[in-house]
Amino acid sequence: MRKIKSLLCVLLTMIISLGSMVTVKADTEIKPYENKENAVLLKREYIDLDEDTVIEIESYEEKIPSLARAGWKTTSATKTYRVKDKNTNTVFVKYILKATFRYNGKQAQCTTATPDCKIFVPNVYKVITKSASKEGDTALGYFYCEHIKTGKGAGGTFSIKCAANGAVTIN
């Protein structure tokens, strides 16, 4: 009986200590490559949509370490588009175009193009289009949302391109 009690105490202590390690972050604090040491913020820009709303656009690149000395290398990049309230910094909707490329000095190929879209505040914006595609050395993202009450739209077409030398261009 004593062994069972002490075992339960140990298990309970472990559960409590593991539970205290969990941290929750708001979207405005999360970056696409937050925990990656090789990621670089290439550009951040703000566009006023109206007197209360701002568009925040961020571009990141990450060189993925390769064990191969020659041959194909890998890089990835993201373009994040957020529709935010100017006063509270609340993110209404977020779209991320994620792309991965391989390159070898002679050519580059887009291996994945993935859209990620989330509505954080329901009944304010509706998403009309959210997609991504790849062709050759380019990833294309398409995003468009509308304010439910005013009908005012936001979004666009985004591209991430990789050159044969691994240089990434994000538009």
Side-chain angles (χ1 to χ4, degrees):
M1 188 68 160
R2 281 183 160 186
K3 288 184 179 182
I4 292 174
K5 283 184 181 180
S6 61
L7 180 63
L8 287 174
C9 286
V10 169
L11 286 174
L12 184 60
T13 304
M14 289 174 58
I15 290 171
I16 290 171
S17 64
L18 287 173
S20 66
M21 290 183 203
V22 176
T23 304
V24 177
K25 291 190 174 187
D27 173 68
T28 55
E29 298 173 353
I30 296 174
K31 303 294 183 234
Y33 292 119
E34 181 179 57
N35 295 320
K36 307 238 180 178
E37 60 189 45
N38 297 324
V40 176
L41 175 64
L42 300 176
K43 185 177 182 183
R44 178 180 289 138
E45 61 183 301
Y46 297 92
I47 302 168
D48 286 337
L49 187 60
D50 57 36
E51 62 275 357
D52 297 320
T53 312
V54 65
I55 307 298
E56 179 184 63
I57 303 170
E58 295 177 332
S59 302
Y60 285 86
E61 178 184 10
E62 179 193 16
K63 296 289 184 194
I64 300 170
S66 173
L67 297 176
R69 290 186 178 178
W72 294 95
K73 295 180 181 148
T74 305
T75 189
S76 66
T78 63
K79 178 131 185 173
T80 303
Y81 186 94
R82 290 185 185 93
V83 180
K84 299 170 66 172
D85 183 284
K86 282 184 187 178
N87 301 316
T88 64
N89 242 5
T90 301
V91 176
F92 296 119
V93 63
K94 174 180 74 172
Y95 171 84
I96 301 176
L97 171 61
K98 300 176 184 178
T100 305
F101 301 92
R102 47 186 241 154
Y103 61 96
N104 65 4
K106 296 179 183 173
Q107 64 177 340
Q109 298 172 347
C110 180
T111 55
T112 62
T114 309
D116 184 8
C117 185
K118 291 183 178 137
I119 294 176
F120 293 99
V121 181
N123 303 319
V124 178
Y125 280 87
K126 63 180 177 181
V127 175
I128 307 298
T129 303
K130 56 176 180 182
S131 65
S133 63
K134 61 179 181 154
E135 186 173 325
D137 60 359
T138 304
L140 292 173
Y142 309 95
F143 171 74
Y144 189 76
C145 65
E146 281 184 357
H147 192 277
I148 291 174
K149 291 181 182 173
T150 66
K152 185 172 267 190
T157 301
F158 312 106
S159 68
I160 304 175
K161 185 174 182 160
C162 182
N165 65 358
V168 173
T169 305
I170 303 175
N171 294 314

